[in-house]
């Protein structure tokens, strides 16, 4: 992890990510003069960083179109060979990742008129372009992770805390991100890492955000909250959901929780598993009695270092790769025409090595897809490691040695 410099302060980037409030005044000064910070991932040529405000805090982000010049393994490094999700000039796309940041059109309304008590959020919104498509919450959550660089691991450390996740998500949103036409910081709250010394500031910021969630019986103004799923509990009237970063309860129905448990089965079963993380993106409204209620959500399974995974077996593989300090990425399907999409890609071998985790053996469609991918890899000269979870233990899987290091 590189050092960064701003207002005469030089500290590891990880410290600024984990405790941004501690450096708030220095970042404020640097934002005025000289107007940027510096990343020292390349000792011979420090790169400029944007100092960007999101909510009440300032965060560091990569300078536009400069990611290619950062060193491999730097959080601000961008590979020009991998196109960002949503780029490509399709103005009807639900998620557009442009030079000013993400522009998202969700299939859930953030403003609901003619409120019916107890009604779930309809899959509608107020579109500015009639032909523009709409994204489900899970697609938006996956895009947030990809834009933030949270689908890759540099091999330079063995840990990633929520403070770093928060900072990377905010940086990945971009300078002028929009969600359903509204500025992202007005409708999306990325939960902050709790710090006792910053408790008052964190509480003030959160209360100001949820204060925008309102319901006068005619118009309901909703918001999105992203954090790590902590607990799903029974209440006298249904269920409550709590995120790990804060003890705030968000109420919902038993039927809704049952629906989520089926829709996001792999993630739901991992709640409470110490080796995994479960990320929740909540669509929250206020009831006419003033309670906060979840009307829609997406859940995503992650490894212990917040790398997205499709099964608990992938979590085990990701945790092993991190422990062995491998450089790798977790591809996410963002395009229908992706004919390969391995579970992981080792980037520290030449050529890159695909890793497949097989856990659905015997299913005809699954076996056919495995055969197709094997044929494609053979034709393209791509080496692969396969783990059949029913036949082999993970520790017996031999990985190719790393030939490329940061």
């Amino acid at each position: 992890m590189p050092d960064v410099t701003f207002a005469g302060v030089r500290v590891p980037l990880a410290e600024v990510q984990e405790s941004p409030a501690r450096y708030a005044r220095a970042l404020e000064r640097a934002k005025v003069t000289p107007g940027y910070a510096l990343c020292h991932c390349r000792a011979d040529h420090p790169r400029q960083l944007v100092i960007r405000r999101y909510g009440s805090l300032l965060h560091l982000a990569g300078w536009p179109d400069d990611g290619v010049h950062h060193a491999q393994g730097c959080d601000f490094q961008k590979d020009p060979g991998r196109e960002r999700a949503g780029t490509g000039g399709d103005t009807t796309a639900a998620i557009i990742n442009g030079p000013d940041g993400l522009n998202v059109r969700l299939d859930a309304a953030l403003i609901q008129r003619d409120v019916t008590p107890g009604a779930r959020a309809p899959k509608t919104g107020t579109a500015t372009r009639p032909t523009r498509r709409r994204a489900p919450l899970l697609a938006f959550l996956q895009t947030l992770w990809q834009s933030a660089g949270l689908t890759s691991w540099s091999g330079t450390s063995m840990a990633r805390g929520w403070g770093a996740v928060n900072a990377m998500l905010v940086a990945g949103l971009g300078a002028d991100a929009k969600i359903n036409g509204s500025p992202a910081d007005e409708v999306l709250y990325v939960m902050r890492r709790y710090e006792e010394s910053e408790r008052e500031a964190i509480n003030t910021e959160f209360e100001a955000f949820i204060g925008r969630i309102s319901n006068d019986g005619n118009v309901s103004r909703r918001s999105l909250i992203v954090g790590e799923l902590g607990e799903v509990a029974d209440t006298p009237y249904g269920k409550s959901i709590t995120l790990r970063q804060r003890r705030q309860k968000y109420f919902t129905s038993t039927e809704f929780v049952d629906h989520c448990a089926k829709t996001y089965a792999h993630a739901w079963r991992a709640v409470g598993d110490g080796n995994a993380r479960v990320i929740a993106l909540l669509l929250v409204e206020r009831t006419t009695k003033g309670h906060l209620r979840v009307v829609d959500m997406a859940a995503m399974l992650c490894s212990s270092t917040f790398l997205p995974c499709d099964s608990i077996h992938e979590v085990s593989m990701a945790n092993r790769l991190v422990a062995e300090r491998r450089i790798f990425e977790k591809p996410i399907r963002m395009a229908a025409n992706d004919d390969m999409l391995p579970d992981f890609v080792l980037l520290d071998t030449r050529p890159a090595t695909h890793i497949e985790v097989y856990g659905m053996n015997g299913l005809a469609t699954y076996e056919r897809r495995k055969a197709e991918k094997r044929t494609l890899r053979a034709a393209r000269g791509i080496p692969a490691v396969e783990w059949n979870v029913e036949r082999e233990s993970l520790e017996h899987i031999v990985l190719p040695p790393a030939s490329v290091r940061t």
Side-chain angles (χ1 to χ4, degrees):
M1 185 81 55
D3 285 358
V4 291
T5 300
F6 47 89
V9 177
R10 179 163 178 161
V11 293
L13 173 61
E15 287 192 20
V16 183
Q17 291 178 330
E18 290 291 342
S19 305
R22 188 179 306 167
Y23 300 96
R25 292 184 179 179
L27 287 169
E28 288 277 8
R29 293 195 299 270
K31 186 172 176 61
V32 175
T33 304
Y36 56 84
L38 291 175
C39 173
H40 296 277
C41 65
R42 294 189 181 278
D44 59 333
H45 194 171
R47 311 306 306 179
Q48 290 185 2
L49 299 174
V50 176
I51 303 174
R52 181 178 299 153
R53 185 177 299 280
Y54 193 91
S56 64
L57 291 180
L58 291 166
H59 299 268
L60 299 176
W63 203 264
D65 301 320
D66 191 54
V68 66
H69 299 296
H70 286 263
Q72 180 70 35
C74 176
D75 281 0
F76 304 113
Q77 193 270 342
K78 302 294 182 184
D79 186 345
R82 291 181 173 84
E83 188 178 39
R84 295 180 300 171
T87 59
D90 183 1
T91 59
T92 68
I95 301 176
I96 300 171
N97 197 344
D100 295 327
L102 293 178
N103 188 315
V104 182
R105 180 61 57 179
L106 296 174
D107 68 354
L110 296 181
I111 299 177
Q112 169 80 359
R113 303 185 187 279
D114 298 324
V115 177
T116 301
R120 280 194 59 193
K123 300 296 184 179
T124 58
T126 306
T128 57
R129 298 179 182 178
T131 58
R132 189 172 175 188
R133 301 187 294 277
R134 304 175 191 276
L137 292 183
L138 181 59
F140 177 41
L141 183 57
Q142 290 173 329
T143 301
L144 283 177
W145 242 246
Q146 190 172 60
S147 298
L150 288 163
T151 58
S152 301
W153 192 257
S154 67
T156 56
S157 69
M158 295 176 62
R160 177 188 281 158
W162 184 259
V165 172
N166 173 291
M168 294 171 74
L169 288 173
V170 169
L173 279 165
D176 191 28
K178 295 287 194 302
I179 302 173
N180 283 17
S182 297
D185 62 350
E186 294 182 6
V187 295
L188 172 66
Y189 188 83
V190 182
M191 295 298 294
R192 283 179 57 183
R193 170 180 172 267
Y194 178 76
E195 295 180 76
E196 178 60 31
S197 63
E198 298 298 326
R199 179 174 59 179
E200 184 175 349
I202 292 172
N203 289 343
T204 299
E205 180 186 71
F206 183 75
E207 293 299 330
F209 180 83
I210 64 172
R212 301 191 188 105
I213 305 174
S214 63
N215 184 350
D216 64 5
N218 296 309
V219 178
S220 175
R221 297 185 181 276
R222 299 166 169 150
S223 290
L224 298 159
I225 301 174
V226 62
E228 185 181 351
L229 189 58
E231 183 183 52
V232 180
D234 294 323
T235 73
Y237 305 102
K239 297 284 187 178
S240 67
I241 294 173
T242 306
L243 301 178
R244 287 192 65 182
Q245 289 78 20
R246 192 179 185 87
R247 293 180 179 177
Q248 173 74 51
K249 290 184 180 295
Y250 307 91
F251 298 98
T252 192
S253 67
T254 300
E255 292 76 17
F256 177 74
V257 166
D258 290 344
H259 167 75
C260 291
K262 293 178 182 178
T263 304
Y264 309 109
H266 289 295
W268 219 259
R269 286 195 294 267
V271 175
D273 187 327
N275 295 314
R277 310 277 191 170
V278 179
I279 305 304
L281 175 62
L282 309 179
L283 176 62
V284 177
E285 71 176 7
R286 194 175 296 278
T287 68
T288 52
K289 293 184 178 181
H291 301 300
L292 294 176
R293 174 172 57 198
V294 179
V295 292
D296 205 351
M297 72 173 290
M300 183 174 69
L301 177 63
C302 289
S303 71
S304 61
T305 51
F306 298 98
L307 289 153
C309 297
D310 297 320
S311 70
I312 199 65
H313 301 297
E314 287 192 13
V315 167
S316 297
M317 177 60 80
N319 288 344
R320 174 182 168 178
L321 295 175
V322 168
E324 295 183 10
R325 296 180 180 267
R326 302 304 298 260
I327 303 172
F328 69 99
E329 68 176 3
K330 165 62 179 178
I332 293 180
R333 185 182 297 280
M334 305 303 292
N337 60 354
D338 191 326
D339 63 356
M340 187 64 72
L341 202 75
D343 293 322
F344 299 98
V345 180
L346 279 178
L347 301 175
D348 55 12
T349 63
R350 290 290 182 268
T353 301
H354 287 190
I355 296 179
E356 296 285 6
V357 179
Y358 295 139
M360 298 174 61
N361 300 289
L363 188 64
T365 54
Y366 190 74
E367 295 295 338
R368 184 165 56 250
R369 178 63 179 144
K370 280 200 294 187
E372 290 172 353
K373 292 168 76 171
R374 283 169 177 160
T375 300
L376 286 171
R377 278 195 294 267
R380 298 172 187 176
I382 301 173
V385 172
E386 298 182 342
W387 175 31
N388 187 320
V389 301
E390 295 176 355
R391 301 172 187 168
E392 304 166 285
S393 59
L394 178 57
E395 58 266 27
H396 291 150
I397 300 301
V398 178
L399 299 173
S403 58
V404 180
R405 302 306 302 174
T406 56

